[in-house]
Amino acid sequence: MTETHDKDFQEPYVDVDEWRDTPVRHRYVHGGFADNDTRFSIYFPPEEAYQGRFFQHITPVPGSEHQAQTAHGQEDRISFAVSSGAYFLETNGGGSTPGDLTFAGFRANAAAARHSRVVAEQVYGPHRTYGYAYGGSGGGYRTIAGAENTDGVWDGCVPYVVGSPMAMPNVFSVRMHAQRVLRDRLDSIVDAVEPGGSGDMYEGLDPQERAALAEVTAMGFPPRSWFGHHTMGMHAFTALYGGMLMVDPSYFEDFWTLPGYLGADPESSIHPDRLRHGCEIAAMVASKDAARSAQGVDHAFRGRGADSVVALRLAAPAPCDSLGAQLTVRTGQAAGRSLILREVRGDLAVLDEQNDASVLEGVEPGDVVDIDNSNFLAAQTYHRHQVPPEGFAVWDRFRDESGKPVPPQRPQLMGPLFSLGAAGAVQTGAFSGKMIVVACLLDREAFPWQADWYRSAVAEHLGDATDEDFRLWYVDNALHGDQERQEDPTRSVSYLGVLHQALRDLSGWVEQGVPPTASTDFAILDGQVEVPPSAAGRRGVQPVVLLTADGTDRADVRAGEPVSLCAVAEVPPGTGKVVAVQWDIEGEGTFPVTEEVVPARRVQVERRHAFSSPGVHFVTVRVRSQREGDASEVFTRVDNIARVRVVVADQDAPDPGQER
C-alpha cells in the first residue's frame, strides 16, 4: 500500500469556486496541484441534497478534467452523482507531468480524491466523506490499480469492461486475424448465430476459415458480436503497435522467416494478403470529401473535423485491401516520415487517428510513398507466441499434452507490460474496500472471461469471504463502449443503468451494510461465458426477456399474414420491476411502439403484426427494469433485448412453413 499522503502532491490550490445551474444546480470547484500538472474539477450538490459521499470517474488515459460538463442524458455523470447524494470528482489524470507509471496510473487520482475531502469539509463542515471510484476499459485497469495500491482513499470501486494482464495486444491480434481470414464469411456467420438461423456458424467454411473462427471463439470473442464487423476495425491496436515494435522488434522478422510462425508457412492464406505497394499520392482527402466518396469506409471519418485530412488518394490502387498498414514517404519535403494507416481500400489509404498531425506537414500530392502491411499481418497471430505460464485457460489450445507451448515463444510476455503502462501496476486481486465489477457479454475489446479471471484472483486472497466484499455482474447484449446509444440498438443495449445501480448499491453496502444482489451465475466453456436462461437462475441486476414469433424464434409466413409475437420479461429477485416494454418491428432501431404495462417482477405482452413486403425481417423487443419500479427514472433504468426472425414470402408462394 502507498503512503496516506503523497510527497509529490503537497501544494493543492483552488482557482475557481462558483455556483452553476447546468446541468443541475451545483457548486463548481476547480483546482490542481502547483507541484505538478494534475488538475481536478469537483461538482458539489446543494447541502440539502448531499448525503456524505463522492463518485469519481477515472478515464482510460489522462485527459481533461472538464469531460463531464458536455455529457447529456444517461451519460450525464454530474447529474447522476447529484441525484445520488454525491459530489462528482474528475481529474486530468496527472496531465503531462513526467514521472513513474504510478503517477498517472493511480496516484494523481488518489491525491485529488484525498484533497476533495478537505474541500468538502470547507463546503459542508466536518463530516465523514465516503468515496467511490469507477472507470471502464483502461480506466478499469486504473481503478483497480488504485484499489489495490492505496489505502483509505476510496471505500469501494466499480471497474467495468476491464481486461486481464494478458489482454493487450492479444485480444486485438486474434480478432484481426479472424477479420482477415473470414472477411468474406462474416455476414453468413452473423446470420447463422442470429435467432432463427442455422446455428452452425462453421457451415461452408474451408479448413483455414474454420480454424480461424475456432481460434478467435476459444480465445473469447463473442460470436454474437460479429454483427459489427463492418465498423469494428482495429480499435486500440494501433495505440499498442509502437510498443510492440519497441519491445520485440525481431518478432516482425522472425514471423516471415522462422519455422513455427504463420508467415513462414508457404501454404498459409496470409501470403496473398501481404501488401507491399509503391506509388504516388494523387490527392489529400479531407473528411468532408472522404465520407461522400469512400463507400464502405465512411465510418472511419466520423467525429473528425470537416477539413482535416483523413486519407490519401493513391495514384495506383493497391493490389489488395488491408486492415492496417504502414506508409513511408519516399520523396518530397516529408521524405522519411512514416504514418499508420487504419485501412487500405482500393486507391484510398485511410489514416489512423493515432498519427500526430505534425507528421502530415509537408506531405503533398506527387510524393512517392511505400505501403507495407507486413508488420500488421505478423501481429495478427502474436497471441500464439505469448502463452502465459498458468491461470489463463484460453491459451491451453496452444499447449501440448505435457502443458508446454507448441508454437515458438517470445522472450517476454507483452500483456503485463501494457497493463503496467496503462495503470502503473498489474492486477493481483488484493484490494481494499468493496468492489462490484461490471462486464458485458458482447464485449469485443475486453473478452467477457477476463472479468472472471479477476474474480478468481480476488478469491485467491479473500477465499470464503469473497462475497463479503466482491460482486461480478454480467450484462447481456452489451458492448464495450459506455455510450447511451449503441451502434445498433436492435442488437445491443447500454450498460449505463447497471453501472449506475452498481455505484448506488456499493454505497449502500459500505455505508449501511446492505449487501447488493448476488453475482451473476455463469459458466465458461471453451472461452465463452454462458449464463442461465431464467432471471432467477442468472441473478445479477439485468432483466431477462424471451421473445417468440408464432411460438418459436422464427416464423415463416406469407405477405399480409399476421405473426403472433409474445414477450415475457422478468427481473432477478430483489432487483425491482419491469417498467417498460418497447417494440422495434421494422428494424429501424427507434422502438416507436411502447406497451402499456403495470410495473411488476414479471410482465408478458402479446402483439400481432403482418408484414406487407417479402423478405427477412427481424423484430426486436426492448424491456426496461428499475429498482423502485419508477419508469421515469433515467440513470438506473436497466435494459435488455430479444429478437426473432420473420421470413415473409410472396402471397402466392407455397406454404412457407412446409418449405423450411
Side-chain angles (χ1 to χ4, degrees):
M1 299 294 180
T2 60
E3 296 178 357
T4 301
H5 299 288
D6 195 316
K7 61 181 178 59
D8 292 326
F9 299 85
Q10 295 298 309
E11 301 178 43
Y13 67 88
V14 168
D15 55 8
V16 178
D17 187 345
E18 62 189 24
W19 281 95
R20 295 181 176 180
D21 293 316
T22 303
V24 292
R25 180 75 171 162
H26 67 277
R27 182 174 173 179
Y28 175 67
V29 174
H30 177 274
F33 292 87
D35 38 359
N36 56 65
D37 291 337
T38 301
R39 303 291 180 266
F40 56 78
S41 290
I42 315 176
Y43 309 82
F44 291 106
E47 186 169 3
E48 63 271 16
Y50 180 59
Q51 297 175 10
R53 68 181 68 98
F54 71 86
F55 292 152
Q56 179 177 3
H57 182 252
I58 296 178
T59 55
V61 295
S64 169
E65 72 277 20
H66 305 295
Q67 289 187 10
Q69 298 176 18
T70 58
H72 302 280
Q74 207 175 22
E75 298 176 25
D76 181 357
R77 299 186 182 105
I78 299 172
S79 296
F80 164 67
V82 170
S83 71
S84 304
Y87 66 82
F88 180 70
L89 169 65
E90 61 180 344
T91 80
N92 67 347
S96 57
T97 304
D100 64 35
L101 295 173
T102 64
F103 192 97
F106 56 87
R107 288 169 55 213
N109 285 313
R114 291 190 190 99
H115 187 64
S116 79
R117 288 188 167 98
V118 175
V119 181
E121 289 205 354
Q122 296 169 356
V123 172
Y124 301 113
H127 66 287
R128 163 71 158 101
T129 307
Y130 295 92
Y132 308 97
Y134 67 110
S137 193
Y141 282 96
R142 299 170 75 200
T143 299
I144 289 175
E148 292 185 348
N149 294 278
T150 66
D151 194 9
V153 178
W154 297 285
D155 296 279
C157 64
V158 181
Y160 59 98
V161 294
V162 65
S164 70
M166 285 299 297
M168 300 176 285
N170 303 302
V171 297
F172 301 112
S173 67
V174 69
R175 188 179 87 176
M176 290 163 58
H177 175 64
Q179 287 173 273
R180 178 185 65 82
V181 176
L182 299 167
R183 59 184 178 269
D184 297 326
R185 302 289 194 175
L186 289 172
D187 284 336
S188 64
I189 291 170
V190 171
D191 186 74
V193 299
E194 285 273 31
S198 69
D200 182 6
M201 62 182 182
Y202 294 96
E203 184 178 1
L205 304 186
D206 66 30
Q208 289 198 47
E209 292 168 340
R210 293 179 67 89
L213 182 56
E215 182 175 357
V216 72
T217 304
M219 287 291 289
F221 186 96
R224 289 185 294 142
S225 206
W226 279 120
F227 72 83
H229 70 89
H230 291 291
T231 57
M232 68 174 66
M234 296 180 290
H235 200 261
F237 174 76
T238 52
L240 308 174
Y241 173 64
M244 294 177 68
L245 285 174
M246 182 183 300
V247 175
D248 195 1
S250 63
Y251 169 79
F252 298 94
E253 178 67 26
D254 295 346
F255 176 84
W256 296 102
T257 57
L258 298 183
Y261 294 90
L262 186 65
D265 178 4
E267 302 300 320
S268 170
S269 65
I270 203 169
H271 298 289
D273 291 328
R274 192 175 187 183
L275 174 62
R276 287 173 288 185
H277 180 56
C279 68
E280 291 185 356
I281 297 174
M284 314 293 284
V285 183
S287 179
K288 62 184 177 182
D289 302 318
R292 290 195 301 265
S293 61
Q295 294 184 356
V297 295
D298 60 317
H299 60 274
F301 314 121
R302 296 171 187 164
R304 307 201 198 178
D307 295 319
S308 60
V309 175
V310 296
L312 305 176
R313 185 74 64 186
L314 305 176
C320 63
D321 294 342
S322 178
L323 181 65
Q326 189 161 326
L327 180 148
T328 304
V329 183
R330 295 303 183 192
T331 65
Q333 298 181 31
R337 295 182 193 167
S338 291
L339 294 163
I340 301 301
L341 300 179
R342 173 175 176 147
E343 58 185 309
V344 180
R345 184 80 62 86
D347 66 350
L348 196 70
V350 181
L351 301 174
D352 190 79
E353 296 92 335
Q354 297 293 330
N355 292 303
D356 192 295
S358 63
V359 180
L360 270 175
E361 294 178 2
V363 178
E364 298 177 347
D367 290 350
V368 175
V369 298
D370 287 337
I371 298 175
D372 192 335
N373 72 346
S374 299
N375 287 355
F376 282 79
L377 292 177
Q380 291 176 4
T381 48
Y382 194 74
H383 57 280
R384 298 179 181 178
H385 312 283
Q386 291 281 285
V387 179
E390 59 183 9
F392 296 88
V394 298
W395 266 273
D396 289 348
R397 65 184 292 106
F398 303 115
R399 305 179 194 272
D400 62 19
E401 293 181 355
S402 67
K404 295 181 179 179
V406 174
Q409 296 298 295
R410 306 309 298 172
Q412 192 167 14
L413 291 177
M414 193 78 70
L417 293 179
F418 280 127
S419 296
L420 182 65
V426 179
Q427 306 106 301
T428 65
F431 65 89
S432 62
K434 296 185 183 297
M435 182 184 296
I436 301 176
V437 173
V438 175
C440 299
L441 292 182
L442 296 189
D443 200 329
R444 308 158 182 159
E445 285 76 46
F447 295 165
W449 63 262
Q450 295 178 104
D452 179 60
W453 176 87
Y454 188 71
R455 181 204 58 79
S456 298
V458 170
E460 289 184 9
H461 291 276
L462 297 181
D464 293 339
T466 297
D467 285 347
E468 295 178 13
D469 293 316
F470 182 84
R471 293 288 189 275
L472 168 55
W473 292 345
Y474 277 110
V475 187
D476 197 11
N477 296 305
L479 299 166
H480 190 72
D482 54 0
Q483 297 83 29
E484 181 174 1
R485 180 177 173 82
Q486 297 294 298
E487 65 181 80
D488 184 348
T490 70
R491 288 186 168 101
S492 57
V493 298
S494 170
Y495 57 80
L496 285 175
V498 177
L499 175 61
H500 293 153
Q501 191 64 61
L503 285 163
R504 288 185 178 175
D505 283 0
L506 182 66
S507 66
W509 199 6
V510 170
E511 299 166 27
Q512 302 171 30
V514 179
T517 188
S519 293
T520 303
D521 189 25
F522 62 92
I524 298 181
L525 301 175
D526 296 327
Q528 295 297 307
V529 176
E530 299 185 0
V531 293
S534 70
R538 188 176 301 186
R539 302 195 300 248
V541 296
Q542 187 184 31
V544 174
V545 55
L546 173 66
L547 176 62
T548 58
D550 290 346
T552 184
D553 62 356
R554 169 173 172 162
D556 292 79
V557 297
R558 294 187 180 92
E561 182 180 342
V563 178
S564 296
L565 304 168
C566 179
V568 180
E570 192 169 11
V571 298
T575 61
K577 298 177 180 180
V578 177
V579 296
V581 178
Q582 301 167 316
W583 295 96
D584 189 296
I585 304 288
E586 302 296 338
E588 298 174 347
T590 57
F591 295 90
V593 179
T594 299
E595 298 280 358
E596 293 289 338
V597 297
V598 176
R601 283 197 55 210
R602 184 182 186 275
V603 170
Q604 178 173 327
V605 297
E606 298 181 3
R607 176 171 289 271
R608 290 173 65 81
H609 183 81
F611 292 93
S612 59
S613 59
V616 178
H617 302 264
F618 284 94
V619 177
T620 307
V621 66
R622 180 171 66 193
V623 302
R624 179 164 289 165
S625 67
Q626 203 280 326
R627 179 65 57 84
E628 289 78 32
D630 183 358
S632 65
E633 220 297 313
V634 173
F635 295 111
T636 55
R637 65 190 188 204
V638 179
D639 292 350
N640 204 350
I641 57 172
R643 288 158 57 85
V644 290
R645 182 189 307 239
V646 180
V647 181
V648 181
D650 289 324
Q651 289 184 341
D652 56 355
D655 185 347
Q658 292 182 358
E659 280 196 340
R660 186 184 176 194

